[in-house]
Amino acid sequence: MLRLTLDMDDVLANTHEKLVEIVLADFSTTLNREDFQQKGLRELLHPKQLSKLHKIMDSPGFFADIAVKEGAIETVHKLSRYYELFVATACMEFPNSFRDKFDWLKKHFPFIPWTNVVFCGYKSIIQSDYLIDDHVRNLVAFQGKGILFSAPHNLRETAYKRVSSWKEVSELFLHSI
């Protein structure tokens, strides 16, 4: 059975959308929703705004109520029948996210056992056939086949196979099964 590893933020969870909501509601900005669909937060926000956003992200409860990406639950459930599934999420930058992320996964993806959840910093330690991630930095050091999940911060990246939805993930991994 092939091993497939999935990132959590902006792959399973719609983290970017929650951050955009916070910025538009609580920050002084002239940016609009469309701006955030074309560029990453690091490109659009002032360093002081990014620092404020990071403090919010590290507060307990931030990751608890993030929406699931459309189609993720159904597709991941189907994938679990044909692949050994893991979730690898980088959470060392936001230590308060451990409990929230673990509980979130248990709530939305109860069919993925706790033994297959990896909390890490860099994902170079992951031993898997495939890694679906939204950050190129995680794919660069990955030894298997990296697949880039589209997000505003990676739209100009061209070095990896790209998927833009869970429908495309399904077509890529379940079409021939």
Side-chain angles (χ1 to χ4, degrees), residues 105-164:
L105 286 165
K106 191 166 51 173
K107 175 182 177 182
H108 298 291
F109 298 89
F111 49 88
I112 298 176
W114 65 268
T115 55
N116 291 33
V117 177
V118 180
F119 292 102
C120 58
Y122 288 115
K123 296 181 185 169
S124 59
I125 63 158
I126 302 300
Q127 298 293 315
S128 188
D129 297 294
Y130 297 94
L131 171 63
I132 301 176
D133 205 295
D134 64 302
H135 284 288
V136 170
R137 70 175 177 260
N138 292 320
L139 301 177
V140 168
F142 178 63
Q143 298 298 309
K145 182 160 176 61
I147 298 174
L148 188 63
F149 201 100
S150 291
H153 56 267
N154 69 32
L155 295 176
R156 291 189 284 277
E157 297 291 342
T158 58
Y160 294 91
K161 170 96 177 127
R162 177 184 294 273
V163 291
S164 297

Side-chain angles (χ1 to χ4, degrees), residues 65-77:
D65 64 351
I66 294 175
V68 179
K69 286 269 195 178
E70 183 180 341
I73 294 171
E74 301 80 9
T75 302
V76 173
H77 192 261

Side-chain angles (χ1 to χ4, degrees), residues 84-104:
E84 182 182 16
L85 287 185
F86 286 81
V87 173
T89 183
C91 60
M92 305 312 286
E93 186 178 6
F94 304 107
N96 285 317
S97 70
F98 282 96
R99 179 93 243 166
D100 289 346
K101 286 187 171 196
F102 185 78
D103 290 345
W104 187 93

Side-chain angles (χ1 to χ4, degrees), residues 35-69:
D35 296 324
F36 291 101
Q37 298 310 314
Q38 298 171 4
K39 292 183 179 178
L41 295 168
R42 293 182 198 278
E43 292 179 81
L44 294 170
L45 299 179
H46 185 278
K48 286 183 180 181
Q49 290 175 311
L50 281 172
S51 179
K52 181 179 176 180
L53 203 55
H54 284 172
K55 285 179 184 162
I56 292 168
M57 290 171 72
D58 198 31
S59 60
F62 173 81
F63 289 92
D65 64 351
I66 294 175
V68 179
K69 286 269 195 178

